[in-house]
């Protein structure tokens, strides 16, 4: 009798764990303080492959396109040194679609930021509280790829 | 004996719920989709019912009126499995995000049709491009193409002009004038043009 009860108890616990794992989004999202270093990227071009491989849609090569996408309201991300992407939800107290220049000025830059990290259904979300360092653009990959896409650099460029 | 029966019943219900959730997670959402895949990375057609949510509110508990009135990124909580779907793109092919299309349905139930993209093994999940949207159960689909219209309303001084919006956008123009097309200053642009044009 007791062993039967134990068996069902363990079944109940296992199935509850299974249920909670399968529906992880039922759980509240926990914030973890984080300090992160990475490049500010355009998530759509990076993830969709629409403009080519991942190496070409970051850095200086993709800078103008990243500006277009950020101005166009495509979510901005931080690509860390391990290749993990964090979707930026807030930048130093400002909503990311607030139409200010703040989000534009750091496109393609490598930044170090302190903030809060949330994981929900496999996606990393980031509330940037403080950009503690900005190294500017550190990936000069336009030397290898040119402008990506090519029409992001004027056909007949004039400095004036 | 009653305790054993209750435990058994509870365990069965929990297992059934767990299996239902697992099945929903693995469900094929492509059935009935009319979305285009455009040959994008790991693109899969995906149509489902969901609730439109403010991501900051949903994830961080930082809530505001009307999902931020266009200042915030929005997402979709899918009915079938309660998963929060991160939406990157609307249906327009001019570098446009999804917030304006989703904002019309803030905190409402919708049906969406689009594609999931991105390598799920590399990034743990996939991301969504919404191509069509309607209030849940409505007859007619709306193309998710609100962004350019809203941009014109926000930028009346450059709303009409030569070329696409992104070549006239004041915030883009300001950055390119300050830092050049590669973000490295005008000298880098001049050097590149000299070597390649």
């Amino acid at each position: 009798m007791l062993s039967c009860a134990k068996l069902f108890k363990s079944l109940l616990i296992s199935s509850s764990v299974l249920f909670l794992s399968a529906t992880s989004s039922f759980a509240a999202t926990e914030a973890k303080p984080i300090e992160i270093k990475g490049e500010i990227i355009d998530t759509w071009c990076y993830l969709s492959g629409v403009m080519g491989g991942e190496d070409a849609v970051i850095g200086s090569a993709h800078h103008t396109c990243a500006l277009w996408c950020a101005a166009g309201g495509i979510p901005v991300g931080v690509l860390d040194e391990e290749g993990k992407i964090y979707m930026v939800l807030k930048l130093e107290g400002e909503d990311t679609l607030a139409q200010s220049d703040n989000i534009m000025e750091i496109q393609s830059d490598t930044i170090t930021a302190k903030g809060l990290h949330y994981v929900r259904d496999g996606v990393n979300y980031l509330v940037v509280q403080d950009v503690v360092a900005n190294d500017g653009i550190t990936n000069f990959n336009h030397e290898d790829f040119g402008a990506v896409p090519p029409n992001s650099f004027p056909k007949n460029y004039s400095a004036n | 004996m009653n305790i054993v029966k209750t435990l058994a019943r509870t365990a069965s219900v929990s297992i059934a719920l767990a299996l239902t959730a697992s099945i929903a997670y693995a469900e094929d959402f492509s059935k009935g989709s009319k979305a285009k895949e455009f040959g994008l990375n790991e693109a899969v057609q995906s149509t489902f019912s969901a609730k439109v949510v403010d991501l900051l509110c949903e994830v961080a508990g930082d809530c505001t009126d009307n999902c931020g009135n266009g200042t915030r990124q929005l997402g979709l909580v899918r009915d079938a499995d309660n998963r929060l779907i991160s939406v990157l793109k609307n249906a327009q092919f001019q570098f446009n995000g999804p917030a304006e299309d989703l904002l019309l349905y803030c905190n409402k139930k919708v049906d969406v049709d689009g594609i999931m993209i991105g390598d799920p093994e590399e990034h743990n999940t996939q991301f969504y491009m919404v191509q069509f949207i309607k209030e849940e159960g409505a007859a007619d689909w709306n193309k998710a193409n609100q962004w350019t219209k809203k941009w014109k309303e926000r930028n009346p001084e450059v709303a009409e002009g030569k070329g696409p919006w992104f070549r006239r956008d004041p915030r883009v123009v300001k950055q390119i004038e300050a830092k050049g097309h590669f973000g490295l200053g005008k000298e880098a642009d001049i050097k590149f043009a000299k070597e390649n044009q």
Side-chain angles (χ1 to χ4, degrees), chain A residues 25-26 64 100-101 121 154, chain B residues 41 62 82 84 171 174 181 197:
Chain A
S25 59
F26 288 172
T64 291
S100 85
D101 290 330
D121 295 321
Chain B
N41 191 18
D62 175 0
N82 208 38
L84 177 60
R171 291 195 298 155
K174 183 178 175 182
H181 290 82
Q197 292 186 339

